[in-house]
Amino acid sequence: GQNIDQPTEMTATEGAIVQINCTYQTSGFNGLFWYQQHAGEAPTFLSYNVLDGLEEKGRFSSFLSRSKGYSYLLLKELQMKDSASYLCAVRDGQAGTALIFGKGTTLSVSS
Amino acid sequence: DGGITQSPKYLFRKEGQNVTLSCEQNLNHDAMYWYRQDPGQGLRLIYYSQIVNDFQKGDIAEGYSVSREKKESFPLTVTSAQKNPTAFYLCASSSGAHEQYFGPGTRLTVT
């Protein structure tokens, strides 16, 4: 079967660093995506990992370990505008290029 | 400006009526997708299309239908057979295996 797990909620303060974990079990694996979604809006693409290791993009980094079925999204120098849901999604290849999404992690950043 | 448009943003219907949600993209993407999002839930795949005149069922296709007669357009019909149609519907497109771009979504309420 297919299963993607992420924590439901996390809180952090401005300027801090937060790590959002994602574990997955899928029948195949062809890439992992992280999206940001503000309340009532569409998801926007943050990062993509298909090989093991760390991908860095400004304040955001994403890590993947395929052998462990594990990824994390690291957000540095948190800002209030980072308060949003963060969605982990896996492409398992069996549904073409469609993605399987986790339920998302709601991050609240306070001052 | 390239992008994905969904209309309308809010839609209200009476139970027993079919309703069609519009999705148009001018990104020249081959693949298009429909997802449904319920409160506190991740995105669930309804239908996807990798190419014109072809589409595949996702995890929750029952009670929905689609067509893909043009590359730019992928309308979704929510039929009266869908037991719980009230939800936030998101359309997305992608170029091959690249990241998916999402439209602004349609919030459908059926009473």
Side-chain angles (χ1 to χ4, degrees), chain A residues 35 37 42 45 91 95 97 99 102, chain B residues 33 37 42 48 50 97 100 103:
Chain A
Y35 282 84
Q37 185 180 27
F45 170 73
R91 185 168 56 216
T97 53
L99 299 178
Chain B
Y33 317 83
Q37 188 174 35
Y48 63 100
Q50 305 276 149
Q100 294 182 14

Side-chain angles (χ1 to χ4, degrees), chain B:
Chain B
D1 266 299
I4 303 178
T5 56
Q6 291 184 245
S7 59
K9 192 167 176 66
Y10 298 95
L11 191 53
F12 298 88
R13 278 294 181 270
K14 294 288 187 189
E15 213 172 287
Q17 292 179 334
N18 290 356
V19 59
T20 297
L21 310 185
S22 159
C23 178
E24 305 276 331
Q25 54 99 0
N26 61 3
L27 300 167
N28 200 33
H29 286 169
D30 286 315
M32 297 186 74
Y33 317 83
W34 274 106
Y35 295 92
R36 166 185 173 138
Q37 188 174 35
D38 294 283
Q41 300 291 316
L43 279 64
R44 291 185 290 166
L45 182 66
I46 305 173
Y47 269 98
Y48 63 100
S49 167
Q50 305 276 149
I51 198 167
V52 174
N53 291 322
D54 188 44
F55 48 83
Q56 308 294 329
K57 290 182 181 179
D59 299 322
I60 55 166
E62 188 177 342
Y64 299 98
S65 66
V66 292
S67 63
R68 186 89 188 276
E69 295 174 5
K70 297 186 300 181
K71 189 175 187 177
E72 304 78 28
S73 178
F74 192 38
L76 173 76
T77 297
V78 185
T79 75
S80 56
Q82 168 51 232
K83 300 283 182 236
N84 236 350
T86 295
F88 187 42
Y89 290 88
L90 287 158
C91 177
S93 71
S94 71
S95 173
H98 295 272
E99 68 271 19
Q100 294 182 14
Y101 291 85
F102 285 84
T106 292
R107 196 166 295 278
L108 173 66
T109 302
V110 176
T111 56

Side-chain angles (χ1 to χ4, degrees), chain A residues 24-90:
Chain A
Y24 63 89
Q25 290 174 310
T26 56
S27 46
F29 179 81
N30 196 16
L32 187 142
F33 296 78
W34 283 95
Y35 282 84
Q36 180 190 61
Q37 185 180 27
H38 285 99
E41 296 182 9
T44 54
F45 170 73
L46 288 177
S47 69
Y48 169 62
N49 296 73
V50 67
L51 299 176
D52 291 351
L54 189 68
E55 293 283 340
E56 296 186 81
K57 222 190 238 187
R59 294 190 299 117
F60 294 72
S61 305
S62 58
F63 171 83
L64 175 68
S65 168
R66 288 172 297 169
S67 63
K68 294 184 175 148
Y70 168 69
S71 173
Y72 67 72
L73 180 69
L74 194 72
L75 293 78
K76 303 175 190 173
E77 301 167 17
L78 280 173
Q79 302 174 11
M80 299 291 282
K81 67 178 182 179
D82 297 328
S83 293
S85 283
Y86 292 85
L87 309 175
C88 173
V90 172

